[in-house]
Amino acid sequence: MTREAPREDVGDERLEIGPPKTWAGGVPAVGHALGTAYRQMGAGRTVLTLLRVNQKSGFDCPGCAWPEGDGHRSPTEFCENGAKAVAEEATVRRVTRDFFAEHPVDELARRSDYWLGQQGRLTEPMYKPAGSDHYEPISWEDAFGVVARELRALDHPGQAVFYTSGRTSNEAAFAYQLLVRRFGTNNLPDCSNMCHESSGSALTETLGIGKGTVLLEDLHQADLIFVVGQNPGTNHPRMLTALERAKRGGARIVAVNPLPEAGLMRFRNPQRPSGVVGGGTVLSDRFLQIRLGGDLALFQALSLLLLEAEDAAPGTVVDRAFVEAHTHGFDAWEKHVRGLDWAEVLEATGLTRAEIEETARDVLAARSVVVCWAMGLTQHRKSVPTIREVVDFLLLRGNVGRPGAGVCPVRGHSNVQGDRTMGIYEKPKPEFLDALEQEFGFPPPREHGHDTVEAIRAMRDGDAEVFFAMGGNFVSATPDTAATEAALRRCRLTVQVSTKLNRSHAVCGEQALILPTLGRTERDVQSGGEQFVTVEDSMGAVHASRGRLRPASDALLSEVAIVCRLARELLGDDPHVPWAEFEAGYDAIRERIERVVPGFDDFNARVRRPDGFLLPNAPRDERRFPTATGKANFTVNPLEVLRVPPGRLLLQTVRSHDQYNTTIYGLDDRYRGVKNGRRVVFVHPDDLAERGLADGDMLDIISEWPDGERVAEGFRAVAYSTARGCCAAYFPETNVLVPLDSVAETSNTPTSKSVVVRLRRAAEATATRPGGD
């Protein structure tokens, strides 16, 4: 049995539970944003920094990847959680060598992610030698020497894993993947493997491009918008402004989610008078409280109703011209959908037939439909078939490649999409490798590398011995916490390129390095002068990002400089790549990106325009679909009802409003009524009663998998209006419950939104433990 107990600095003594909110934004959002910023940065630094977030001459928010759009931008182009993300990075708190001398690694490993993050910015390279429990200062030269020595000592390059977080800039990502492939491996797992890999897999197969097909203007022009498996009020708050504008233009919005989310009920836009003193804007016209994993059944049922409406009025529903000219596989798909079993649909979704039929009438009344989704759709075993079914639903009425219509996977971390565009991928396309070889004159490796789950297995099994992370918090972002921690501790060397302290620094290999780097907010000055970097937002727009603050320490290096200096140490006098030139001025990197990556023609000139530029998107721009068939593909996706044993529930891991990914800003989730705590599990009152449990009971959550049980201890039950048979709890605290081998078909993404669990009173668990511990 694998057990994960609470960290020693986070208890439930002050935990308070109140009623959930029915609206998001407003004056409280402004107050919380400014309050956090002031505590971290002080008054003057807060004003100086926040007024430059997402501005044309400023820096890209280190939080989400939601686009800004062209034209005029507000002077306060940030949301509450964006302000918190900036404050965390631009904090005046510092972690120095004295901190590491005082706190051994073993102690840090017992601390919570929240406590670790609150300590402040890292200030100099630190090294934990083999056999030591303390980090100690090390020079940059010696740090790169350690990494190069351990990499050269490997039997083959495939024994090293090079992870990437979404915040890495285009320039750093391109240089990083170039270094890794120059070293000789495609072991380039990244955070996409754990979030939107299912989107990329499904969309590449069906539409020929692993990205969305809409722009911000399409949301403004849509007649109907589905928001599926997503909580924009917390995870992408600026999206609420786009939804508000769509509502003012007459759009209807359908929210599909197991949990009612305040941000999709009503939005009080703090930049509009009605959001400050009025009631704001009601966003969702319809809320479908779907059972976890039921989305495939919902979209198949909607498509069946559309086909039946076409039968009743031929030529009025299905876009026959589009289907015949631009799609493949329609007949097989239609035959499959017409055989749908309504009893299975209702069991899978937990909805009534009337709810689905009313939603179908919304679709019939809409000329243009956009479907947005996030990780609520991508982290199930059947995620890829589900997203393929979303595409089928849209293709049926020609809702791809025209204004106000299309697919909109809302990616999280800023530049997570750009990193993939730059080649951060363990399964690179042959065309990309061919372009690299032509440009740099060396043969890059062709064998596919490890994704995130495969990398954990490789480290666990001793097949990988060096782990290098360019940003992120790998330990807290990945599934099966105990397995991940054991895997990292088996490594000879783990390296973390980071701005702040996190749990991955405390769960490390025999040797460990912390390499502190510049943040988005800070000036980046190299020998060629002051530099800027570029990022790609979730809708394919590329623009510049320029930090303005003085670096947190004179000892910090940029990510680009770290990559280039490591390359020079590892590869020596490299005849193929001008690493010193890349470090001196990032224009040199962009010149090479232009010649390797399609869509980046005249990169240096175009990215200096105030709004940057838009990457080409064949389905959106030309209604051209670069798939294996040369057309958009209808696909047949059998419906499998996700049934669980008696007494069990389906758990989804979620974010609190006071966090972004694994960064914990505070211990409140005010939209769900939680204050001063995180170890809570949201359960429908009737599901609690059926198990003889009550609101406020202290519980252990146990997941079940063929290789054994996993336990997360000490959670307070919160009676909550979630879908029956489902429950929810925060990650990373419940990542321990997600089995490493429970993954989505095709994409290999961990199934963090559909974990089979049972609940038991914590006192019962204590009584059965050996020694009553």
Side-chain angles (χ1 to χ4, degrees):
M1 178 183 294
T2 301
R3 177 178 289 125
E4 173 90 339
R7 302 295 169 205
E8 64 182 26
D9 54 272
V10 175
D12 293 300
E13 297 81 7
R14 300 188 302 124
L15 177 64
E16 300 176 23
I17 305 295
K21 300 290 186 184
T22 58
W23 54 272
V27 174
V30 177
H32 282 274
L34 295 180
T36 299
Y38 177 78
R39 288 190 296 273
Q40 292 278 359
M41 299 188 290
R45 196 175 176 89
T46 292
V47 174
L48 179 68
T49 306
L50 293 184
L51 292 180
R52 288 173 173 162
V53 181
N54 295 324
Q55 298 301 321
K56 296 179 182 182
S57 61
F59 61 90
D60 197 65
C61 177
C64 80
W66 189 254
E68 286 75 46
D70 295 336
H72 175 73
R73 297 184 189 180
S74 163
T76 53
E77 192 67 44
F78 59 87
C79 65
E80 176 187 348
N81 275 356
K84 292 175 182 176
V86 170
E88 286 276 317
E89 180 179 292
T91 181
V92 295
R93 301 172 186 174
R94 299 289 181 263
V95 176
T96 66
R97 61 179 63 185
D98 293 338
F99 172 90
F100 288 106
E102 182 181 349
H103 299 282
V105 172
D106 180 63
E107 179 203 330
L108 295 177
R110 297 193 301 270
R111 297 287 190 173
S112 70
D113 289 271
Y114 173 62
W115 187 91
L116 292 169
Q118 290 301 301
Q119 303 313 302
R121 288 289 300 276
L122 298 161
T123 55
E124 63 180 320
M126 302 298 295
Y127 174 54
K128 187 196 82 65
S132 173
D133 195 36
H134 280 271
Y135 281 100
E136 58 192 44
I138 188 174
S139 70
W140 279 106
E141 181 180 5
D142 288 344
F144 293 133
V146 170
V147 181
R149 180 190 70 215
E150 293 300 330
L151 289 175
R152 291 195 197 102
L154 297 173
D155 294 335
H156 57 85
Q159 290 182 312
V161 170
F162 297 89
Y163 176 73
T164 317
S165 162
R167 261 175 44 171
T168 303
S169 69
N170 287 331
E171 292 75 14
F174 186 81
Y176 187 52
Q177 64 80 31
L178 185 60
L179 166 62
V180 173
R181 293 187 167 109
R182 188 78 183 88
F183 177 62
T185 181
N186 282 313
N187 284 347
L188 280 160
D190 72 333
C191 53
S192 287
N193 297 148
M194 294 175 286
C195 53
H196 270 285
E197 198 67 60
S198 296
S199 299
S201 298
L203 295 177
T204 299
E205 178 184 354
T206 56
L207 301 180
I209 186 170
K211 304 178 183 183
T213 66
V214 302
L215 299 175
L216 201 53
E217 292 73 19
D218 291 309
L219 287 175
H220 301 158
Q221 299 172 27
D223 296 313
L224 179 64
I225 301 171
F226 282 84
V227 183
V228 189
Q230 185 187 0
N231 176 16
T234 287
N235 301 327
H236 314 90
R238 288 187 300 133
M239 181 180 177
L240 299 182
T241 302
L243 295 177
E244 179 190 46
R245 179 168 172 179
K247 287 290 293 185
R248 295 203 308 270
R252 289 179 62 80
I253 295 174
V254 177
V256 184
N257 210 336
L259 291 168
E261 300 292 10
L264 287 172
M265 297 179 191
R266 183 185 295 271
F267 174 45
R268 294 182 178 177
N269 188 340
Q271 299 196 36
R272 293 173 58 85
S274 61
V276 176
V277 297
T281 303
V282 175
L283 291 184
S284 295
D285 298 279
R286 192 178 304 283
F287 172 44
L288 300 181
Q289 189 164 35
I290 198 164
R291 182 174 178 264
L292 283 164
D295 305 276
L296 186 153
L298 170 63
F299 281 97
Q300 282 195 345
L302 290 173
S303 293
L304 174 59
L305 292 171
L306 295 178
L307 290 171
E308 292 176 346
E310 172 74 5
D311 295 340
T316 64
V317 177
V318 176
D319 189 339
R320 294 289 181 183
F322 173 81
V323 169
E324 291 173 7
H326 296 290
T327 73
H328 173 270
F330 175 80
D331 291 343
W333 171 81
E334 180 185 21
K335 180 180 179 181
H336 171 72
V337 170
R338 286 188 182 277
L340 199 60
D341 184 331
W342 269 101
E344 288 196 334
V345 169
L346 301 183
E347 182 184 359
T349 62
L351 303 172
T352 66
R353 183 160 180 167
E355 287 178 298
I356 300 174
E357 289 176 340
E358 290 166 0
T359 305
R361 284 193 283 273
D362 290 339
V363 179
L364 288 168
R367 294 164 299 173
S368 299
V369 180
V370 172
V371 180
C372 306
W373 70 87
M375 289 189 290
L377 227 60
T378 65
Q379 294 182 323
H380 302 272
R381 188 170 69 88
K382 292 291 182 179
S383 286
V384 173
T386 297
I387 297 166
R388 291 196 299 238
E389 203 60 53
V390 169
V391 174
D392 291 336
F393 164 77
L394 290 170
L395 292 177
L396 184 61
R397 304 197 77 200
N399 278 309
V400 177
R402 59 184 176 84
V407 295
C408 182
V410 183
R411 299 181 187 269
H413 227 156
S414 171
N415 211 45
V416 64
Q417 185 163 296
D419 286 353
R420 183 58 59 88
T421 302
M422 291 296 106
I424 300 293
Y425 190 31
E426 75 281 356
K427 301 179 182 68
K429 292 182 178 180
E431 298 86 348
F432 178 82
L433 297 179
D434 291 343
L436 272 187
E437 184 168 5
Q438 181 176 351
E439 177 63 26
F440 292 100
F442 74 92
R446 300 279 170 164
E447 182 180 358
H448 287 174
H450 298 315
D451 64 16
T452 296
V453 168
E454 293 163 348
I456 296 170
R457 291 175 183 150
M459 292 185 286
R460 176 197 65 189
D461 298 340
D463 295 327
E465 298 184 358
V466 174
F467 176 82
F468 191 109
M470 181 62 71
N473 181 359
F474 189 81
V475 168
S476 294
T478 47
D480 214 336
T481 306
T484 297
E485 293 186 354
L488 285 170
R489 286 179 168 132
R490 286 197 62 170
C491 290
R492 268 206 330 254
L493 172 67
T494 54
V495 185
Q496 308 289 336
V497 178
S498 309
T499 57
K500 297 190 69 183
L501 193 67
N502 65 51
R503 184 158 175 76
S504 295
H505 303 126
V507 179
C508 52
E510 295 174 16
Q511 303 171 79
L513 280 165
I514 299 173
L515 306 182
T517 188
L518 295 174
R520 288 268 183 88
T521 58
E522 293 167 319
R523 290 194 303 273
D524 182 354
V525 180
Q526 303 298 332
S527 62
E530 188 164 333
Q531 304 299 312
F532 68 89
V533 295
T534 64
V535 296
E536 177 186 346
D537 66 32
S538 64
M539 293 182 180
V542 178
H543 59 270
S545 177
R546 299 173 176 85
R548 288 291 183 266
L549 295 180
R550 179 178 177 178
S553 164
D554 292 338
L556 302 186
L557 292 181
S558 71
E559 289 181 331
V560 171
I562 290 171
V563 170
C564 293
R565 293 190 190 186
L566 174 58
R568 299 209 300 274
E569 179 68 28
L570 177 64
L571 304 173
D573 187 12
D574 187 349
H576 298 285
V577 184
W579 297 107
E581 182 183 342
F582 282 1
E583 180 184 349
Y586 303 166
D587 277 358
I589 302 176
R590 288 187 283 269
E591 288 173 1
R592 300 304 187 99
I593 292 172
E594 176 181 336
R595 297 198 286 266
V596 171
V597 184
F600 284 83
D601 307 289
D602 205 16
F603 189 5
N604 273 313
R606 288 199 294 161
V607 82
R608 283 175 163 84
R609 299 171 185 169
D611 290 313
F613 63 94
L614 195 63
L615 290 175
N617 186 302
R620 180 194 67 215
D621 302 337
E622 310 169 48
R623 272 200 165 179
R624 181 174 61 83
F625 303 96
T627 65
T629 64
K631 295 186 175 184
N633 291 315
F634 279 92
T635 55
V636 173
N637 305 292
L639 170 59
E640 295 181 16
V641 180
L642 183 55
R643 297 182 174 96
V644 301
R648 274 58 172 177
L649 297 170
L650 281 173
L651 169 76
Q652 63 172 331
T653 68
V654 298
R655 295 168 177 154
S656 160
H657 188 64
D658 249 0
Q659 78 178 94
Y660 192 77
N661 292 342
T662 59
T663 303
I664 313 299
Y665 304 134
L667 301 179
D668 297 344
D669 188 355
R670 70 176 187 278
Y671 290 159
R672 297 191 181 109
V674 178
K675 186 176 182 180
N676 294 325
R678 292 181 51 83
R679 297 187 80 85
V680 296
V681 55
F682 302 99
V683 189
H684 194 282
D686 294 344
D687 286 326
L688 284 174
E690 283 183 2
R691 289 155 181 76
L693 303 172
D695 182 47
D697 282 353
M698 293 304 298
L699 308 174
D700 292 343
I701 311 173
I702 305 146
S703 72
E704 301 174 330
W705 192 249
D707 66 357
E709 296 181 342
R710 292 160 173 81
V711 183
E713 298 177 343
F715 284 73
R716 177 170 166 175
V718 177
Y720 204 82
S721 180
T722 186
R724 285 298 310 273
C726 304
C727 60
Y730 302 131
F731 72 83
E733 290 83 355
T734 50
N735 286 355
V736 65
L737 301 171
V738 185
L740 185 63
D741 295 329
S742 181
V743 295
E745 297 173 357
T746 306
S747 68
N748 215 35
T749 295
T751 59
S752 300
K753 295 294 186 287
S754 52
V755 184
V756 177
V757 300
R758 72 178 192 273
L759 307 176
R760 70 181 179 197
R761 285 193 179 87
E764 295 174 4
T766 300
T768 60
R769 287 182 212 138
D773 63 345

